[in-house]
Amino acid sequence: MLEYARQILPDSNVILIPVMSWDTAARMLTTLLKSAGRQLTKPQKEAVLGAYKLCSQPLFMKLAFETSRLWTSFLNIDKCTLGLSIKSAIELLLQRMEKAHGIVLVSRSLALMTISREGLSDSEMEDVLSLDDEVLQNVYIYHLPPNPLFIRLPQLLWQRLRYDLVQYMVQRRVHNSDVNTWQHRQFRDAVLKRYVTSGKQNLHRALAEYFSGTW
């Protein structure tokens, strides 16, 4: 990407951003923990900053913080898993989302948002998920929907998932609607690999049928 930028832009327009220093990363971690009202034990904090040395990028520190803030003070340091790259840290985050919100909802919604051309608004996401039989069956496995003749995904389910990931997403104004999409390319790549590889055709068909007014 840097080489391509240098090919099309004059050197005066290219600004190299230096790697965030270890001291700055330590202050960033302290600030993030304070803002969240959390603390880490000394070994836990050393584990986070040690992992940062292996992947010295602000996004990794942010992901590491989101993982470490869930650790209890009595959690053995051997079980304090962070990942050693942005890719593995995102994988851990997606695993947590699956555990918290269910793998069907997480995989389907994030895949749809990722493969959509410009992103999906909240209402579009809820509409498309409400047309997915597997998603609805998973949601209503233990109870019947309020209106069996008009079954929709409960609005709160997507809102909760989006809330947990909102710091890694961005909203853009497209065709008079606020659509959600990823802020970082690494999230797009991770979702494509984890959720889209095997069912890409069906996902594209679902979006095409929705936007063409099939349903």
Side-chain angles (χ1 to χ4, degrees), residues 29-83:
L29 178 60
T30 299
T31 300
L32 289 171
L33 288 169
K34 184 177 180 180
S35 65
R38 297 288 297 168
Q39 291 184 344
L40 296 179
T41 64
K42 184 177 179 180
Q44 289 174 343
K45 193 170 185 178
E46 290 175 348
V48 175
L49 295 174
Y52 176 75
K53 288 183 178 180
L54 301 176
C55 185
S56 302
Q57 298 184 44
L59 178 57
F60 179 81
M61 175 54 71
K62 177 63 175 174
L63 288 162
F65 157 72
E66 289 298 333
T67 298
S68 65
R69 67 182 293 191
L70 302 176
W71 295 344
T72 58
S73 59
F74 52 82
L75 182 66
N76 192 296
I77 193 64
D78 295 335
K79 296 183 179 180
C80 294
T81 305
L82 289 169

Side-chain angles (χ1 to χ4, degrees), residues 182-199:
W182 294 117
Q183 185 175 11
H184 305 280
R185 177 183 54 80
Q186 293 95 325
F187 276 85
R188 178 182 181 277
D189 294 342
V191 169
L192 288 175
K193 182 178 180 180
R194 189 175 182 86
Y195 301 132
V196 180
T197 303
S198 59

Side-chain angles (χ1 to χ4, degrees), residues 14-194:
V14 178
I15 300 176
L16 296 179
I17 301 176
V19 174
M20 188 170 67
S21 68
W22 187 91
D23 289 338
T24 301
R27 291 196 297 271
M28 177 181 175
L29 178 60
T30 299
T31 300
L32 289 171
L33 288 169
K34 184 177 180 180
S35 65
R38 297 288 297 168
Q39 291 184 344
L40 296 179
T41 64
K42 184 177 179 180
Q44 289 174 343
K45 193 170 185 178
E46 290 175 348
V48 175
L49 295 174
Y52 176 75
K53 288 183 178 180
L54 301 176
C55 185
S56 302
Q57 298 184 44
L59 178 57
F60 179 81
M61 175 54 71
K62 177 63 175 174
L63 288 162
F65 157 72
E66 289 298 333
T67 298
S68 65
R69 67 182 293 191
L70 302 176
W71 295 344
T72 58
S73 59
F74 52 82
L75 182 66
N76 192 296
I77 193 64
D78 295 335
K79 296 183 179 180
C80 294
T81 305
L82 289 169
L84 301 178
S85 65
I86 289 179
K87 179 181 177 181
S88 58
I90 292 175
E91 285 289 318
L92 290 174
L93 175 62
L94 293 177
Q95 290 173 19
R96 291 203 305 273
M97 295 300 101
E98 292 171 4
K99 186 174 181 180
H101 303 279
I103 187 171
V104 174
L105 177 67
V106 172
S107 62
R108 202 60 50 85
S109 58
L110 298 188
L112 288 167
M113 185 183 77
T114 302
I115 68 169
S116 60
R117 181 176 300 178
E118 297 173 323
L120 294 175
S121 68
D122 291 338
S123 59
E124 289 169 344
M125 177 67 78
E126 292 160 9
D127 286 345
V128 179
L129 292 176
S130 295
L131 296 171
D132 191 310
D133 290 339
E134 185 178 358
V135 172
L136 294 178
Q137 288 172 5
N138 184 262
V139 169
Y140 294 109
I141 189 172
Y142 296 117
H143 62 280
L144 294 175
N147 185 352
L149 299 179
F150 185 66
I151 304 176
R152 284 186 59 82
L153 180 83
Q155 188 179 43
L156 192 59
L157 296 184
W158 162 245
Q159 295 295 337
R160 285 175 174 171
L161 175 57
R162 187 172 72 86
Y163 176 81
D164 284 347
L165 293 172
V166 70
Q167 58 197 310
Y168 306 110
M169 295 162 61
V170 62
Q171 278 198 335
R172 298 185 301 180
R173 193 71 176 173
V174 178
H175 303 310
N176 296 320
S177 296
D178 294 322
V179 300
N180 303 297
T181 189
W182 294 117
Q183 185 175 11
H184 305 280
R185 177 183 54 80
Q186 293 95 325
F187 276 85
R188 178 182 181 277
D189 294 342
V191 169
L192 288 175
K193 182 178 180 180
R194 189 175 182 86

